[in-house]
Amino acid sequence: MENQNNVTEFVFMGLWGNKQIELLFFFLFLLCYLAVLMGNFIILLTITRSHLIEQPMYYFLCHLSIMDLCYTSTVVPRLIRDLGAARKNISYNNCMTQLFTAHLLAGVEIFILVSMAFDRYVAIVKPLHYMVIMNRQRCNLLIFVAWGVGFWHSIALLLMVLNLPFCGPNQIDHYICDVKPLLKLVFACTDTYITGVLAVANSGMVALVTFVVLFVSYVIILFSLRHHSAEGRHKALSTCGSHITVVILFFGPSISAYLRPPTTFPEDKVFALFYTIIAPMFNPLIYTLRNTEMKNAMRKVWCQTLFSKEAHN
């Protein structure tokens, strides 16, 4: 069949068909988005205005907060707008842009989480060599690699989707432009088996392999804690516990959504809420409420800010 594209815009079917429920979630997701902005901005300001920025773990956490802010801003504002709109439409070009940007930022975030796990591995397994191994140059290299891998992951998906012939329906059974809902639109136009397998290999296998690597690294970390003091074990478990919680919130739904044949289910939209809204909203709470060093830095930074304002007035 000739590769033709008759679609100039797509229409999201959204999360629910009930208008009253959508209006309720309009306000709920608006509050969640404000919580994401406020929580991650607090983390950014606290780290950049304190001594914590000198530590590799918080340097990576700073970049993770930036990714959360950018990633949610790529998806959630349009979702909130569509929940209150009569027609949930998006142009073809904007759809492709959202697909590329969302997967780029998600890919970068995945490898920042890997970098944070590597940082904890070195800190606990090789503490005497920690500052030599995790110097600022190597931290910058890990961030650069994360952006490079995220770019190649997203550009590969984008090129696959751009080659699809959208010749018929334009209603996407989702609230974002993603590979599987878009593949569903071209079933009647062309054979999508190879593209579907490549999409699963690109997204699903990357998520699974990364999760396995993270899981193995934390098993090694927990195993090595046997030789630490009780205080050291408590501090390390507290930090690693935060990381493991974030990894489960992000990778659990991602693997469920992407690591299976290219078919769509209603549950996919619920899974997507976890890695587009819920995980970015809970990340600041997870990394602050369970982290004494972070809480002390927040008190110091915000007290200094208040005192400086009073002195200025």
Side-chain angles (χ1 to χ4, degrees):
M1 183 174 291
E2 185 181 354
N3 189 355
Q4 59 180 352
N5 187 358
N6 299 327
V7 174
T8 59
E9 72 169 11
F10 298 101
V11 178
F12 293 125
M13 296 175 67
L15 286 166
W16 302 276
N18 190 310
K19 195 63 182 176
Q20 291 181 334
I21 293 178
E22 289 191 340
L23 286 175
L24 173 64
F25 277 90
F26 170 87
F27 293 104
L28 177 61
F29 289 153
L30 179 60
L31 291 175
C32 290
Y33 183 55
L34 292 175
V36 170
L37 295 179
M38 184 176 67
N40 284 288
F41 270 126
I42 289 174
I43 283 183
L44 283 173
L45 289 173
T46 301
I47 293 176
T48 55
R49 299 185 64 178
S50 69
H51 67 283
L52 295 181
I53 191 64
E54 301 170 4
Q55 300 183 36
M57 183 179 74
Y58 296 103
Y59 177 73
F60 290 130
L61 178 56
C62 191
H63 282 275
L64 183 67
S65 292
I66 294 173
M67 288 303 102
D68 280 339
L69 285 170
C70 296
Y71 182 54
T72 53
S73 297
T74 301
V75 176
V76 180
R78 178 172 287 276
L79 168 62
I80 294 172
R81 189 210 70 171
D82 288 344
L83 286 172
R87 192 167 185 266
K88 307 170 177 59
N89 62 309
I90 183 172
S91 69
Y92 177 86
N93 290 336
N94 286 341
C95 182
M96 297 302 109
T97 301
Q98 187 186 63
L99 172 73
F100 173 78
T101 307
H103 277 273
L104 169 65
L105 298 172
V108 175
E109 182 160 340
I110 284 174
F111 286 95
I112 288 177
L113 290 172
V114 173
S115 300
M116 294 175 77
F118 177 68
D119 171 75
R120 290 301 86 200
Y121 170 83
V122 175
I124 295 171
V125 178
K126 299 179 179 293
L128 298 179
H129 302 91
Y130 176 68
M131 294 310 299
V132 175
I133 297 174
M134 297 304 298
N135 55 56
R136 184 49 57 91
Q137 184 178 4
R138 184 164 279 111
C139 291
N140 289 332
L141 177 62
L142 289 171
I143 295 296
F144 177 78
V145 170
W147 276 97
V149 174
F151 175 80
W152 286 111
H153 157 72
S154 57
I155 198 68
L157 284 178
L158 179 64
L159 292 176
M160 281 190 284
V161 174
L162 287 175
N163 286 322
L164 295 175
F166 295 98
C167 60
N170 67 339
Q171 287 190 324
I172 301 177
D173 188 15
H174 215 298
Y175 64 89
I176 57 174
C177 286
D178 208 353
V179 178
K180 287 188 176 181
L182 289 170
L183 283 175
K184 187 178 180 180
L185 298 183
V186 298
F187 280 162
C189 309
T190 187
D191 183 7
T192 60
Y193 176 77
I194 295 177
T195 306
V197 171
L198 292 174
V200 170
N202 186 303
S203 298
M205 289 305 298
V206 166
L208 179 62
V209 170
T210 306
F211 179 77
V212 171
V213 169
L214 290 171
F215 178 79
V216 171
S217 68
Y218 282 118
V219 169
I220 295 173
I221 289 172
L222 294 175
F223 184 77
S224 68
L225 287 176
R226 298 175 305 140
H227 307 294
H228 288 66
S229 64
E231 183 181 354
R233 283 198 299 270
H234 176 74
K235 183 178 179 180
L237 286 172
S238 178
T239 304
C240 291
S242 301
H243 294 176
I244 292 171
T245 304
V246 171
V247 166
I248 292 173
L249 278 175
F250 189 88
F251 281 95
S254 300
I255 292 172
S256 300
Y258 290 105
L259 194 64
R260 54 176 169 74
T263 54
T264 58
F265 296 101
E267 293 80 11
D268 290 347
K269 292 182 279 189
V270 178
F271 289 147
L273 289 175
F274 276 89
Y275 52 80
T276 57
I277 300 178
I278 296 175
M281 181 178 65
F282 279 105
N283 282 358
L285 294 175
I286 291 168
Y287 282 112
T288 54
L289 295 180
R290 294 176 57 88
N291 191 318
T292 304
E293 196 171 16
M294 189 72 182
K295 286 188 286 187
N296 291 337
M298 286 174 63
R299 292 192 194 99
K300 185 176 180 180
V301 168
W302 294 106
C303 285
Q304 287 178 347
T305 303
L306 290 174
F307 285 140
S308 63
K309 285 184 178 180
E310 289 179 0
H312 181 73
N313 291 334

